[in-house]
Amino acid sequence: MPPSDKAWKGRFTQPTDAFVEAFTASVGFDRRLYRHDIRGSIAHARMLAAVGIIEEREAALITQGLGAIEQDIDDGRFTWSVGREDVHMNIEASLIERIGEVGKKLHTARSRNDQVATTVRLYLRDGLDGLTEQLQHLGDVFLTLAEREVETVMPGFTHLQVAQPVTLGHHILAWFEMILRDAERLIDARGRVNVMPLGAGALAGTSFPIDRQMTAKALGFARPAENSLDAVSARDFVIEFTAAAALIMVHLSRIAEELVLWSTPQFGFIELADGFCTGSSIMPQKKNPDVPELLRGKSARVIGHLTALLVLMKGQPLAYNKDNQEDKEPLFDTLDTVRDSLRALTELLPATTFHRERMHREALRGYPTATDLADYLVRHGLAFRDAHEAAGRAVRLAIDRGVDLADLPLAELKTCSPLIEADIFPVLTLEGSLAARDHLGGTAPRQVREAIARARQRLAGLTAEAAG
């Protein structure tokens, strides 16, 4: 393509090398920004008219032309050109072709540097709102499931070894806490995304009497950026989002890992619906938990994107550099991956069958009430370290006899500590163990129900905050 067709044609006397043109073009992936680019351009044109830089009729022509271009893109009629480099120049060139010389006035008091930064912020802001809504929906799924399983006893684990009995409802509330924090992080990050770079120009602002407050208000930004150098070169808002997204994926991965484990015959806690599993090409009996496994695996790509973005920015001097073109593919893929992953888990859980009897039976294994025995002895006057030792001797007896602690005769329990009396036996049941932790954050069904009610209030509050 001859240099006369480029936006920067005046400086150059030779055409761009064909390979370099393809190598430096971004339209292959940044075209998805078209709607937000057009929105920013319309606001910019109307501001230019409002302050007298262009005429009102010219702003109307530009707005009409951009609207027609958007419709063509929506309908698949728009022809994208690698020679026009990116989404921004493709749209501007098409505008000029449609409305003539007036289209060339759109870029007055604007650089691609502040244009790109604004477009990316608009795009990410919408993406954040969508992901926050998805997290809220997933939170509601968790709470509905927790309500149903308030009294379902299951083993709690540390080191993947049976530790103490909990309820499935209490366990699911732990999942809820993870994603609630994730939503809070996105809402917090949105405030730093919601700052408008337009008006910063290439790096040093503009000599035209623009009204940045007007443009910011039209685009829904909280305020214009304060420093022109920072406005065009900062990408920490992309990195911050990707860091929050990586944490979301880490949380989804941990949940998915539990679903994978729980679906094995060795655990047998759940049955995943057939629609979320696949089979084996050679082993007819197989039912593979592909969706949870992919949730676990997709966390790696988002974590990788975070690393890539950090490395991308670490060596850049102020202000804008072409390196920043490389921020978009990690950003786009992160948004897509988190969006699809949240949808997958949100749809998978309601279709999952939880085997309550198996969970209860497995909670009896591994002497999960040993801590309750130690606590009983403390309440009867023994120092905790001595109580811990006495409970350990009781566990050793039970292992030797091949029985549970609750099945040991009182006489044998008393050999571990003379403080043990017949009132120990209700304490050594799963239900007794759960009931004993009847305090804030505890596992007693009453506490779990109250925690769910509080969680619903917190979720509602978060929804209101996001809407505000």
Side-chain angles (χ1 to χ4, degrees):
M1 177 174 287
S4 60
D5 289 343
K6 299 291 187 182
W8 30 265
K9 58 186 179 183
R11 167 67 175 78
F12 291 78
T13 58
Q14 295 181 358
T16 306
D17 180 85
F19 169 75
V20 171
E21 188 167 74
F23 183 71
T24 58
S26 60
V27 69
F29 53 82
D30 70 9
R31 65 179 65 179
R32 70 160 71 189
L33 297 171
Y34 74 91
R35 197 180 307 279
H36 300 84
D37 180 71
I38 288 171
R39 184 180 171 191
S41 291
I42 288 174
H44 182 67
R46 288 173 175 167
M47 180 276 295
L48 292 177
V51 300
I53 296 175
I54 65 175
E55 297 177 9
E56 290 286 351
R57 66 171 186 83
E58 292 174 325
L61 272 175
I62 290 170
T63 298
Q64 183 180 13
L66 289 171
I69 290 171
E70 182 174 10
Q71 189 61 58
D72 282 353
I73 298 173
D74 287 343
D75 296 340
R77 296 193 303 266
F78 189 86
T79 301
W80 297 98
S81 168
V82 171
R84 289 171 175 169
E85 301 179 55
D86 57 28
V87 59
H88 317 287
M89 296 313 300
N90 268 263
I91 290 173
E92 182 179 316
S94 178
L95 179 67
I96 294 169
E97 289 172 356
R98 289 167 188 255
I99 68 172
E101 292 296 306
V102 172
K104 296 180 180 179
K105 295 187 176 185
L106 172 60
H107 210 54
T108 306
R110 185 176 74 170
S111 163
R112 258 193 303 181
N113 293 356
D114 59 346
Q115 180 183 2
V116 169
T118 300
T119 301
V120 172
R121 284 178 183 267
L122 287 170
Y123 180 85
L124 179 53
R125 190 178 68 187
D126 283 352
L128 283 168
D129 291 344
L131 293 184
T132 301
E133 184 177 346
Q134 282 188 280
L135 284 165
Q136 292 163 348
H137 187 196
L138 179 57
D140 186 66
V141 168
F142 285 159
L143 294 180
T144 299
L145 186 57
E147 285 174 333
R148 194 185 74 192
E149 307 295 345
V150 164
E151 299 194 24
T152 300
V153 182
M154 66 172 290
F157 300 92
T158 63
H159 307 278
L160 209 55
Q161 304 293 316
V162 172
Q164 291 178 281
V166 297
T167 66
L168 179 55
H170 187 71
H171 192 108
I172 292 168
L173 283 179
W175 295 351
F176 172 83
E177 294 294 334
M178 294 179 189
I179 64 95
L180 189 69
R181 291 193 298 273
D182 289 330
E184 290 170 344
R185 269 185 284 270
L186 293 188
I187 292 171
D188 187 56
R190 189 188 192 277
R192 283 176 288 281
V193 171
N194 201 29
V195 177
M196 188 192 72
L198 267 182
L203 78 162
T206 176
S207 60
F208 290 95
I210 61 175
D211 186 342
R212 297 186 72 207
Q213 294 290 350
M214 175 185 174
T215 313
K217 183 177 180 180
L219 293 173
F221 284 111
R223 61 178 176 84
E226 290 285 345
N227 183 278
S228 60
L229 285 165
D230 180 65
V232 298
S233 62
R235 291 299 183 270
D236 53 3
F237 66 96
V238 176
I239 295 172
E240 182 177 9
F241 159 68
T242 310
L247 277 172
I248 292 172
M249 293 305 299
V250 166
H251 289 154
L252 297 188
S253 180
R254 295 185 71 189
I255 294 168
E257 169 65 4
E258 293 192 319
L259 295 175
V260 170
L261 287 172
W262 291 0
S263 68
T264 63
Q266 289 75 19
F267 274 80
F269 289 0
I270 63 172
E271 176 79 16
L272 297 173
D274 287 356
F276 294 89
C277 300
T278 63
S280 165
S281 63
I282 187 173
M283 295 168 285
Q285 83 281 10
K286 292 295 296 297
K287 182 177 180 181
N288 299 325
D290 280 14
V291 170
E293 287 178 346
L294 276 174
L295 286 174
R296 192 177 59 191
K298 284 181 181 294
S299 64
R301 67 192 294 160
V302 175
I303 293 167
H305 291 326
L306 173 58
T307 302
L309 288 168
L310 288 166
V311 175
L312 173 70
M313 295 304 300
K314 75 174 183 63
Q316 288 196 42
L318 294 174
Y320 180 83
N321 299 280
K322 189 67 169 178
D323 311 48
N324 286 347
Q325 181 172 292
E326 292 297 306
D327 68 346
K328 292 171 190 62
E329 288 179 290
L331 170 62
F332 296 159
D333 189 66
T334 295
L335 280 165
D336 292 345
T337 300
V338 177
R339 184 184 300 119
D340 290 348
S341 298
L342 288 172
R343 177 182 174 181
L345 186 59
T346 299
E347 294 181 4
L348 178 147
L349 284 173
T352 299
T353 301
F354 290 83
H355 298 311
R356 299 184 181 95
E357 292 184 2
R358 177 64 179 263
M359 288 183 174
H360 189 280
R361 186 165 65 248
E362 291 302 310
L364 290 169
R365 301 177 62 183
Y367 308 100
T369 59
T371 302
D372 298 284
L373 174 56
D375 290 346
Y376 169 93
L377 291 171
V378 170
R379 285 192 293 271
H380 284 73
L382 202 60
F384 180 77
R385 284 300 167 206
D386 294 331
H388 185 285
E389 183 179 347
R393 289 196 296 269
V395 169
R396 184 72 261 170
L397 276 175
I399 292 172
D400 292 342
R401 304 288 190 278
V403 299
D404 187 60
L405 283 173
D407 296 324
L408 286 172
L410 178 59
E412 292 198 19
L413 284 170
K414 288 180 77 68
T415 65
C416 300
S417 174
L419 296 174
I420 299 175
E421 299 294 346
D423 61 350
I424 188 59
F425 292 107
V427 174
L428 296 180
T429 65
L430 297 178
E431 292 70 22
S433 177
L434 292 171
R437 294 188 291 279
D438 188 11
H439 52 76
L440 185 65
T443 57
R446 183 178 72 87
Q447 286 294 343
V448 176
R449 289 189 180 92
E450 292 180 1
I452 292 170
R454 290 192 299 271
R456 287 212 175 276
Q457 292 177 344
R458 292 160 64 204
L459 187 62
L462 192 73
T463 302
E465 182 182 354

